Amino acid sequence: MSFLRALLRHSSGRIGAIIIAVFAVAAILGLAGLTPHDPLAQDRLARLQAPGARYWMGTDLFGRDILSRLMVGIGQSFAVALLSVGLATSVGTVLGLTAAWFGRLWDGAVMRAMDVLLSFPAILLALLIVAIMGPGLVTSVVAIAIVYTPIFTRVVRGPALSLKTRSFVDAARTFGSSRRYILTRHLLANLVAPLTVQITLALAWALLTEAALSFLGLGAQPPNPSLGLMLSDSRNLMESAPWMLVFPALVIMLAVLGFNLLGDALRDLFDPRTRRALA
Amino acid sequence: MNYVLRRLLMFPLVMLGVSVFVFVAIRLVPGDAITAMLGTESGLLTPAQRESLAAYFGLDQNWAVQYWRWLGGLVQGDLGLSVTYGQPVSQIIAERFPLTLELALLSMVIALLIGLPAGVFAATRAERPSDLIVRVFAMIGQSTPNFVVALLAIYVLSVGFGTLPTMGRFVPLTEDPLGNLAQLILPALALGTAFAAAVTRIARAAMLDILSEDYVRTARSKGFSQGYVIWRHALPNALIPVVTLSGVEFGYLLGGAVIVEQIFALPGVGRVVLDAILQRDYALVQGVVLFIAFNFLLVNLLVDLAYAALDPRIRYGAS
Amino acid sequence: MTLLSVEDLRVGFGRTGRETEVVHGVSFDVAAGETLAIVGESGSGKSVTAMAVNRLIDYGGGRILGGRAIYDGRIDVAAATEAEMQRLRGREIGMIFQEPMTALNPVLKVGTQIGEIFRKQHGMSGRAVRQASVRALDRVRIPDAARRLDQAPHQMSGGMLQRVMIAMALAGEPRLLIADEPTTALDVTIQAQIMALLAELQRETGTGLIFITHDIGLVAGLADRVLVMQGGKAVESGPIDRVLDRPSHDYTRHLLNAVPHFRAGQAVRTDGVRDGRAPALDVRDLAVRFPVGGGFLRRTRGEVHAVDGVSFDLVPGETLGIVGESGSGKSTTARAILNLVQPSAGAIDTEGRTAVQMVFQNPNASLNPRMDVRALLAEPVIAAGQRVDDAVVGRMRALLARVDLPDDLDRFPHEFSGGQRQRLCIARALMLNPRVLVLDEAVSALDVSVQAKVLDLLVDLQREFGLAYLFVSHDMAVVERIAHRIAVLYAGRIVEMGAARAVLSDPRHPYTRKLISAVPSIERRRIDYALDTEEVPSLLRPVGFQTPAQVWRQIGPDHRVASEQTA
Amino acid sequence: MTIARTLVSTIAIGASLGLSAPLAAQTLNVAWSQDATGLDPHTQTAFASIRLLELLYEPLVRLGPDLEIQPALAESWEFSDDATTLTFNLDPEATFHDGSPVTAGDVKASFERILDEATGASARANYASITSIETPDDHTVVFQLDGPNVPILNGMASVNAAIVPAKAIEAGTVGTEVMGSGPFTLEQRTPNANASLAVFEDWHGGDIAYDGIDISVLPDETAILAALRAGQADFAFLSDPLVATLVPRDEGLTLNAAPTLDYHVLQLNASREPMGELKVRQAISCALDRQDILDAALLGEGEVTGPLTSPAYRNDPFSLFCYEQDQERARQLLAEAGYEDGFSATIMAANGEPPTAAAEAQLIQSQLAEVGIDLSIEMQEMNVYVDSWLAGDFDMAVALNGGRADPYTMYNRYWTKDGNLQNVANYIDDTLDTLMQEGRVETDEEARKEIFAEFERHLAEMAPWVWLYTGYTYTAQREGVQGFEATPTGSLFGLVDVTLAE
């Protein structure tokens, strides 16, 4: 609770938290079907309508409500981001922890494999995986998870290696504590802070990657709304229907911004140096 | 062991891993290779013809043999033949890659030219209004995907100025450097925005850390001015994380090129790879992806070497 | 002639207008050629005072809130502009910092960092800069100065770097030199060398020197005047002899009496019992070797013989102090006994796995910050496969009381002070009723007055539980207070061992002698430290190398020394 | 005639304006969004390929702006009275790009290649009635037909029946090296990026007023518009009405919209349930509001049409089965077929080909949902789409299929029993087959129109596919580009008549 209060006292933390909270509400409403209009319903009489009283953010080529579509799109983006980052975090944490703890061959094997994955530009790797699995939301989750697993592996392994040499781990070993006890109570518990920061930032990247994939037509398939797809639909219409470009663009920017701000704030709060300065 | 030598030795090893990964990954893509290769004509093949074709392309062998052959060709610079282009993959790369590289490098230069001074400036004015403005811009820049920047730029140009970026026929650098630059500047800006923002942020953070380091205090105790202390003592240290970032970000630039080339209709390798993946052009995907990874790794190797040049602790292997 | 006159100096930190004052009106004078020692523990404001004198405090978020600091009778530092200060710094006021490893820019060559002073402050250029730099290094007795100029800081040892730091501070030919704990990070023999150098250079140049330290013993041999600080105030000041011999303030007396000072064997414990009881710990021919990797293909190039044939035993109720400098193998020995490093050879006999417990140097690092007191104390119990029941919780409370900690199991480590944390570590080590405690630099990270209290606690506990202590430390004064017997470790081997009084008062091995003579002491005032640039020999040996066996010479009933070998 | 016209007009302009030959080479910069997928004129079906190949290769005859048959490689031609023999006289001036003359032997070899099943020629079925090819001399070719077949002449007016050198066929280089007899030679080509064409100076068809064409492939039509605005392209081919309608906003640009023969269609796969049920197909036809789809997807840029799109054979589409949306009837038909609760199926569409495909799929999805049919959309890349399409591997497909001037040529590939795309249509109907055969042999124009009107009526009622509408093909040009005449086939062959202002 005091942590939350500290977060809200932090200026960028406050802004980030508000943005994410608003978007989360929109996302939940969107996924629960509580949108102002049916996001798939085509209003033949209201095609390409500018924002107005009935359609607050206007309609698209088919007369579908952009606000409703954005809400569902945010919901899907958030779901993809959360699932993929969750997956990447779990796998990356296990790999990073064990690599750091066992060292030698296992460490070498894991880290070289991660090097290989990291040798591909993220989008390219995601594209390859989408090609293998076929486009769709599940694929997006898996692709983004695979892209970010090496990052989490590294994020965990580095501090885990240094934690491993800390005296309290030495102390635990002198007591004869079990490996599992040491890995969870001593290493993992102390990785919560860097992991939280990393997860928040990774959520921002995952949103970006998801949007990029669907922008290329490889994410959610039409007519399902997705932020990237809505943007790419706007390309040939931006002169006559700029709201089709502006609103999805703003939503992507703000969502990513929210997570970035939150991540920055968390990093500040977890960093003993800045914590002292903030106190 | 010597750091530089170790990096050099790691390079082919990781490359080998990358080649295996690409090879296997593309073979996991659903769809028969022959069908993908012949398209409409494949329906007319008799089973015997199909077998002989498979033998011709070496697809009758198991993956290990296929891989070994591919690797053999690779070593001689033979990346195979693209089915969709009917050209050697190496030729397609030779024609298309310079543009992508130029785009990525231009973005990088722009990002560093904007980001470094902005970051250093903000750090020296920490917590003052000018710092805040830089940080807000950097934060927004980092949060805006390149395709949004690209689309918004096109939109602003077309609606605000009634014009559009010059996208038409691509002018190679060798033909008309100025025309080329005019064509690439907007895509490079779109691609480089997030990178510039990241450089700003990391340069600021590094600079802030460094300004409180003991050795900066030492330099001050020698009676040097703020400008000299920053330029001569702080900046070389602040460059180290920026160089690291540049290596990582180069990958994002290469990847981002896929999208930006698509939006700005630039005939670079990014567009090729997207098409090739979508059209299951095995040899082309293998070749181009491997080549991109190769360049990414190469840049990271250069970054590692730059590291060694910047930081003697790494050069001589600190304990 | 007064060089610097500080009057009622007040310094604060924080936002303008809302500063927290940490130095509350300090006054002192320094004359040319004079050495003023400012003594205090952490938080006393001694470093802040020093930094305020050349206004480097401005760059650390601090501000001079009041008072004056007249330099050379002409300029008030407290009111000077930054431009004026830049003219003073380096040229008039030089500074030497505590950590030579971090005080030098890691990415610039040593020559560059010295040369820039000649370039910027003396307007030299070209070859003249290099020649001046070589002379500067020669002056601080750095051998092979020309070659050193092209090295990066990390290629040099801490002692060498501190010499470079001094060379840099002197390069501007300042009239006032501020040295902020310049030897704290260094081994005691290196410390002696640096002190000697400073003293000699000060005589040569006639510079005024402000020497800041936590160790009142260290300045006994150097300072003309002493200023004792506590809580941001000057509690006592005066000529060195007067303050040391007739302290007027309680705190000064506390620093002089309660704090361990080296007394060459006169302060050793006398409650030793070594009556043929069975040893609680018996170490024979312990060797630890680390392979030195060949890198890529992991071909072993050689082995570092970190510990090389160490034997000793320890009976209940007894403390064996293992002393030595960094790289001597003393910590590795301790870790090998707890099996934290794998011994390469030798035997370690104990009474079961939980019979030996360890207390580590840094109490901050040896307590998991995410665990509360209950979890911390429970860990050894859980590890031993026991249930954490009421009896265990009872023992927790009893031990907390015994080590003078509040009876609160829900606190987290960050809620304790450094000394309290070390008490918590001791309580944790005692949870399983061990026979032997290995204390690895267990009080080194603590403030001097806290050190004394923890040492007292350790002695009490030893008597109460009949514990055997293996006390590993670089600090001779601390070891003198707690050890019954002492083993001197040098380059991985014990070179001298015996009853504490015998070894400390009558050292026989050349290294032991050098070590003991380097230890600062209140008794020794204004003495000349010998200059010596010898360094510890390399312990890297070819694979399979067998160090020849040591030849021991018995000096007294419990005092023996290894013969000098030329291996 | 063409030669004369081109020659005269060139001379006339040159003389009247007193222009000397331009010093600098004049190049026409052309931009389009889809590149050719291959260079073998006989096997390529994609419009994008045809568009390019028509500038490089020539058939015996070609269609003019009003779909009248014009001479190409053949100077003249003649049916025997019973319409079973077709004789062509080749233009003796005609040469391939390497200078060798186009001979009757080349014609024979080309058609033999087209007729060889192994070639996989796309229009093979159109020429199936050829029984033998005779070459009495170098400039005369005689086709013997297995019966009267008037439409075959129309069928030959396609670059899919281009004449290639016999020696290229022997060498197996057709498709890898361009050796045609068309007005342009291919100088350089980077697939999906650009191509350079040079005027073939010895073209038998006459002189061309400029020196060559530079083609840029800009996959994004917005980019093409930008290129036009920036003057980087002089002439562009556009297919996205959303972009095309923006062209006239610029003063210096002209948009030409020409109605096209190509038709947007919802293909149903009758070999899959429940599309095998007539009533289900009819229900789908009734459920759709064609004009509404046209209005949304093409911004109304087109005309609702029945299966016949050629101006001469068009009928009022609203006389056809269920061309007015009737959801009630649709539900009733579904109920009768036993699908009162609707059903689920997938609908396949290609990414960007046509650009409206995704929109059409979504509109169809939305409209069919109103009668209880639940469609899921599968967007595929063009060549993946084509693979599935050729294999008949889909439930429903959004397609833009090519039209021909003659209904028989246009549809015999789908709706005759031995049509070579019969497995794409997947629907066999004796009535359709019979009507096709009748139309093939009938030489009386009025009677043919009757036959095909009946064919169209039956096709719409059986609804194996649901025809939607035709769009426009658009070309846009900058000021100074003159003389281009569009055709309903979307051909860019008219570029040979273009002149460029300085």
Side-chain angles (χ1 to χ4, degrees), chain B residues 233-258:
Chain B
H233 284 267
L235 198 62
N237 285 284
L239 278 179
I240 293 169
V242 171
V243 164
T244 315
L245 178 80
S246 301
V248 177
E249 287 278 342
F250 190 74
Y252 288 100
L253 293 180
L254 286 176
V258 173

Side-chain angles (χ1 to χ4, degrees), chain D residues 63 90 111 114 131 174 212 229 236 262 286 297 366 391 413 438 484:
Chain D
L63 296 172
L90 303 186
F111 272 91
I114 293 166
T131 51
V174 182
R229 286 175 176 174
D262 310 330
C286 293
S366 157
R413 54 175 69 178
E438 281 175 24
F484 179 79

Side-chain angles (χ1 to χ4, degrees), chain C residues 49-103:
Chain C
T49 305
M51 295 286 200
V53 165
N54 60 5
R55 290 270 300 281
L56 280 180
I57 199 81
D58 295 13
Y59 291 99
R63 243 161 53 80
I64 292 179
L65 299 178
R68 294 189 300 165
I70 311 291
Y71 177 78
D72 200 19
R74 58 187 164 94
I75 179 164
D76 180 6
V77 167
T81 63
E82 173 62 20
E84 286 169 331
M85 284 316 299
Q86 282 175 15
R87 281 195 292 277
L88 279 187
R89 288 187 205 123
R91 294 303 304 268
E92 297 289 339
I93 307 174
M95 181 131 189
I96 303 166
F97 298 95
Q98 177 171 359
E99 291 269 1
M101 294 287 190
T102 59

Side-chain angles (χ1 to χ4, degrees), chain A residues 162-173 175 185-187 190, chain C residues 335 340 358-371 376 379 413-414 416-422 424-425 428 440-442 445-446:
Chain A
S162 90
L163 283 172
K164 190 183 158 186
T165 65
R166 291 280 286 276
S167 301
F168 60 77
V169 173
D170 279 343
R173 287 203 276 194
F175 306 142
R185 294 296 310 259
H186 289 304
L187 297 193
N190 280 290
Chain C
R335 296 172 66 81
L340 289 173
M358 185 158 172
V359 175
F360 295 84
Q361 170 172 9
N362 187 344
N364 300 335
S366 53
L367 296 173
N368 185 339
R370 306 243 149 227
M371 287 183 171
L376 287 167
E379 188 180 353
H414 68 264
F416 294 101
S417 69
Q420 286 179 313
R421 274 177 235 173
Q422 200 60 305
L424 191 56
C425 288
R428 180 173 63 171
D440 184 8
E441 302 276 10
L446 306 177

Side-chain angles (χ1 to χ4, degrees), chain D residues 415-417 427-439 451-452 454-459 461-462:
Chain D
W415 312 116
T416 61
K417 287 180 178 169
Y427 175 78
I428 293 173
D429 185 314
D430 290 338
T431 313
L432 291 177
D433 187 64
T434 311
L435 287 168
M436 276 269 116
Q437 301 311 331
E438 281 175 24
I451 292 166
F452 286 117
E454 174 61 17
F455 169 81
E456 181 178 51
R457 199 195 52 73
H458 186 67
L459 194 55
E461 186 172 340
M462 292 300 111

Side-chain angles (χ1 to χ4, degrees), chain C residues 289 300-303 305 541-547:
Chain C
R289 297 182 197 121
T300 307
R301 267 198 325 213
E303 288 176 320
H305 288 221
R541 308 261 191 265
V543 180
F545 178 85
Q546 283 297 328
T547 323

Side-chain angles (χ1 to χ4, degrees), chain A residues 46-49 58-64 66 69 243-244:
Chain A
R47 286 181 178 138
L48 290 180
Q49 283 231 326
T59 62
D60 66 4
L61 183 60
F62 306 105
R64 297 181 296 206
I66 289 184
R69 291 179 68 74
W243 55 90
M244 283 183 65

Side-chain angles (χ1 to χ4, degrees), chain B residues 22-31 59 63 66 70 282 286:
Chain B
V22 171
F23 183 87
V24 172
I26 192 69
R27 266 153 193 76
L28 292 175
V29 174
L59 296 170
W63 285 9
Q66 285 186 43
W70 180 57
Y282 281 21
Q286 269 171 208

